[in-house]
Amino acid sequence: MAHAIKFHPSTALLEQFAEGCLTADVSLALAAHIDLCPHCQQLSQDITNDLAGQFVEQRVTTSSTDWDAMLNSVLAQTEQTSMKPIANAVTSSNALQSIMVSQREFKLPRALQRLSASHGKWLHLGGIATATLPTSSDHHVSLLYISKGTEVPQHTHLGLEMTLVLSGKIVDENGEYHAGDLLINSPDDTHTPRTLPDEDCLCLSVLSAPLQFKKGLTRLLNPLQQFFF
Ligand SMILES: [Zn+2]
């Protein structure tokens, strides 16, 4: 049975997404969540419609000598028009890309399909495997596979940690997260994510800074830090 998605991005974040103010990597995590979440699809659509309405109002009240604004709007329109055939091509090809890891096949949300085709080599450590996705910023973006009954050592975050569950389930001290759930952890949130004994998990992970592991000797955990970033 499919579980309802419980962890969504805030409306403020969805607004910034629609306005295009987020970095490419944070946008990617949001776009992938929206692919999986009918609730946020509807909300994003409403936000986009509101923005379009505001834009039309602004244009009506703008004097005709505002050449920059006019040029920008023309350029924006050209870009949108020329994007359309590409978007249609993607839809009509209907190629749902999937990914293989540890002899398991996972289907990916549309937003991740193109990028994940050029993912890095899978690195394995214990029951965990990670493959980086190419990124244009200094964020670290990766696919993270956690096999059943595996615990990621307790850590805190030096920056932002976004985790989108793509398949399966993870639990930590704060709750249980199913496919589509988006977890956003900020510095000082400490948690120990783990899978349950009967189900593995694939996530998209976006990190703005390395994780900081809390238990054991820091120098022993150093390789772990590099593994995740
Ligand atoms: Zn949502």
Side-chain angles (χ1 to χ4, degrees):
M1 199 187 84
H3 283 262
I5 295 172
K6 281 194 230 131
F7 298 88
H8 306 271
S10 65
T11 307
L13 204 55
L14 284 173
E15 280 168 359
Q16 289 175 309
F17 174 69
E19 287 163 5
C21 335
L22 300 173
T23 65
D25 313 318
V26 174
S27 289
L28 180 74
L30 282 188
H33 170 80
I34 291 166
D35 277 350
L36 298 170
C37 179
H39 170 77
C40 289
Q41 264 162 40
Q42 185 58 53
L43 207 53
S44 297
Q45 191 60 54
D46 294 347
I47 291 169
T48 308
N49 291 344
D50 282 355
L51 283 176
Q54 283 168 21
F55 179 68
V56 170
E57 265 169 44
Q58 273 170 14
R59 289 209 56 199
V60 169
T61 55
T62 301
S63 81
S64 59
T65 50
D66 196 348
W67 295 108
D68 280 351
M70 202 189 296
L71 185 64
N72 282 339
S73 80
V74 169
L75 287 174
Q77 278 165 3
T78 312
E79 200 175 349
Q80 258 179 6
T81 319
S82 65
M83 290 281 284
K84 260 188 191 142
I86 301 169
N88 286 343
V90 170
T91 317
S92 62
S93 79
N94 204 19
L96 249 192
Q97 200 187 315
S98 56
I99 200 157
M100 287 292 294
V101 51
S102 293
Q103 276 113 40
R104 285 266 286 124
E105 187 180 18
F106 295 97
K107 289 225 165 73
L108 294 174
R110 177 133 48 108
L112 295 181
Q113 290 180 4
R114 194 151 46 103
L115 255 193
S116 62
S118 42
H119 72 74
K121 209 172 126 212
W122 285 101
L123 303 173
H124 295 262
L125 185 75
I128 305 171
T130 175
T132 53
L133 297 183
T135 167
S136 52
S137 76
D138 51 4
H139 287 155
H140 181 84
V141 184
S142 60
L143 293 168
L144 189 62
Y145 170 79
I146 310 171
S147 54
K148 37 183 100 158
T150 301
E151 185 177 285
V152 176
Q154 188 186 47
H155 58 270
T156 156
H157 310 94
L158 296 176
L160 178 81
E161 181 196 59
M162 289 176 91
T163 307
L164 175 66
V165 181
L166 300 172
S167 174
K169 191 178 356 178
I170 22 176
V171 290
D172 71 5
E173 293 85 338
N174 308 312
E176 197 174 286
Y177 315 97
H178 299 260
D181 280 332
L182 179 69
L183 292 75
I184 302 180
N185 284 296
S186 47
D188 303 328
D189 287 332
T190 297
H191 70 157
T192 316
R194 64 187 166 85
T195 49
L196 295 178
D198 59 340
E199 197 172 16
D200 53 5
C201 175
L202 183 73
C203 301
L204 172 74
S205 161
V206 176
L207 298 172
S208 70
L211 304 179
Q212 192 170 53
F213 291 95
K214 302 291 278 185
K215 282 188 177 157
L217 294 166
T218 312
R219 89 190 130 81
L220 289 181
L221 291 171
N222 254 345
L224 205 55
Q225 213 145 332
Q226 279 160 20
F227 177 75
F228 280 99
F229 199 78

